[in-house]
Amino acid sequence: MEFFVSGKSHIGFRHIHPLIADLLRALPATTDPDALSDAAEARLFPEPTNSESLQDLRDDWKAFVEPGLHELFRSASDIVSADLKGMEESGDTFTLTIPMNHADAWLNLLNQARLVLAADLGFNEKILTSPEPPDLGTDVGMAVFRINLYAFMQQCLIEQLE
Amino acid sequence: MATETTPIPVEETEVETTSPWNVVVHNDPVNLMSYVTMVFRRVFGYSTERAQKHMLEVHEQGRSVLWTGEREKAEHYVQQLHAHLLLATLERAGE
C-alpha cells in the first residue's frame, strides 16, 4: 500500500491488497456506537474528571457533552463510509482517494477504531510495541495488525496535515 | 479603646469559583505521539516545541497539566480533547 498526494485537494492510498481493503471497509462497523463493548464505550467517552466530589460535572457531561461527541464520531464514520464506497479496483489491488477536507474525519475514525480494538482486547503498551510480527491466525494478532495498519494511515495523514 | 476585628469567613463556594482548574491529559498506549502533539497544537495553539514537551511528559510521567485557569474554559478544553479522543480530565489546581 502506498500513500499518494494528488494536487492540493486529494490524498489517498493505492496498491491496496484486497485483504487490506476489507480491513478498511470494516472501519465503520468496528466503531458502530450501537455495537460497542463497555470497555470501548468507556474509552471513547471517558469521564471528565477523576475527582469524586465532582459528580455534578459527570452528570452534566453525560447529559450535554456526550451527545455532541456521539454526533461528531458518527459524522466521521459517515464521511469515511462514503469515501470507502468510492474505493476503485485496479487490477489485483484497490485505490482509495480521500478529499483533503475529509482528512480530519479519517483521522478521527482511524483513531476510534484503534482505541476500540485495544480496549476490547485489553492491550497494553508492551503488546502494541512488540517487535514480533502478529499472528494473523488469531484474533489478537489480527487486532494488532489492524491497529498498526490504521496507525500507518494516520501517520501519513498527519504528515500531510502538518 | 481597642477595636476587635473579626475575620470575614470565606465561603466555600467562593473558593470554588475563584480557584483555578487544571486540564490534565493522561497517557494511553494507543494514541500516536505525532497525533497527540498535533492535537495539543490545534486545541491550545501551542508551538510544536511546547506541544512536544507536554506530549513527552504524558508519555514518560503518565500525565501532563496542559492548561490552568477558569473552570468554564477548562471544561471547553477537556471537551475538545475528548473530541480528539485523548484521555483528558479536569481537576482543581493543587489537588
Side-chain angles (χ1 to χ4, degrees):
Chain A
M1 185 165 79
E2 180 183 85
F3 179 66
F4 70 88
V5 179
S6 177
K8 289 184 177 175
S9 62
H10 289 80
I11 52 180
F13 297 89
R14 58 186 161 221
H15 309 309
I16 301 172
H17 187 281
L19 168 67
I20 304 294
D22 283 344
L23 296 180
L24 297 185
R25 291 191 195 98
L27 276 166
T30 302
T31 59
D32 179 356
D34 297 326
L36 292 180
S37 67
D38 289 346
E41 177 94 19
R43 179 57 192 84
L44 295 191
F45 304 97
E47 294 195 332
T49 181
N50 294 328
S51 175
E52 290 178 9
S53 63
L54 293 173
Q55 189 57 44
D56 60 327
L57 175 60
R58 286 193 188 80
D59 294 341
D60 286 350
W61 205 263
K62 199 157 272 301
F64 302 111
V65 176
E66 281 193 15
L69 294 175
H70 275 281
E71 183 57 36
L72 175 73
F73 297 166
R74 189 182 288 278
S75 166
S77 182
D78 290 345
I79 290 169
V80 168
S81 295
D83 289 344
L84 284 168
K85 281 184 184 143
M87 192 155 54
E88 293 177 350
E89 191 168 3
S90 47
D92 294 337
T93 63
F94 291 83
T95 298
L96 170 67
T97 303
I98 300 170
M100 201 56 205
N101 60 2
H102 290 184
D104 278 329
W106 272 90
L107 263 185
N108 187 288
L109 197 71
L110 289 165
N111 219 26
Q112 284 187 58
R114 297 177 69 240
L115 291 167
V116 166
L117 290 165
D120 283 348
L121 293 163
F123 286 171
N124 56 29
E125 195 137 8
K126 187 179 174 189
I127 293 172
L128 292 172
T129 57
S130 170
E132 297 295 320
D135 177 359
L136 300 187
T138 67
D139 288 346
V140 169
M142 182 54 83
V144 170
F145 180 77
R146 289 179 68 188
I147 287 172
N148 290 333
L149 167 67
Y150 300 154
F152 163 73
M153 296 176 73
Q154 274 193 302
Q155 189 59 40
C156 294
L157 295 171
I158 290 166
E159 286 174 15
Q160 196 57 35
L161 287 168
E162 291 282 90
Chain B
M1 192 168 90
T3 309
E4 279 190 21
T5 55
T6 308
I8 300 169
V10 178
E11 290 181 20
E12 194 176 339
T13 51
E14 188 179 334
V15 173
E16 279 185 13
T17 54
T18 57
S19 61
W21 292 76
N22 288 337
V23 174
V24 184
V25 172
H26 305 265
N27 190 35
D28 77 67
V30 179
N31 276 311
L32 299 174
M33 289 179 169
S34 55
Y35 178 74
V36 174
T37 302
M38 185 192 77
V39 172
F40 289 169
R41 290 185 61 208
R42 280 186 177 187
V43 171
F44 298 100
Y46 290 166
S47 65
T48 301
E49 190 180 46
R50 186 172 180 188
Q52 282 177 337
K53 175 186 157 291
H54 282 290
M55 178 275 293
L56 286 173
E57 202 168 270
V58 171
H59 182 64
E60 290 165 2
Q61 298 177 30
R63 56 178 265 151
S64 179
V65 175
L66 267 293
W67 187 86
T68 301
E70 63 181 31
R71 176 166 169 170
E72 191 177 341
K73 199 164 183 184
E75 286 183 13
H76 170 74
Y77 281 139
V78 171
Q79 184 179 346
Q80 291 296 305
L81 293 165
H82 283 196
H84 287 89
L85 296 151
L86 299 196
L87 279 177
T89 57
L90 187 68
E91 66 181 28
R92 281 194 187 89
E95 264 190 2

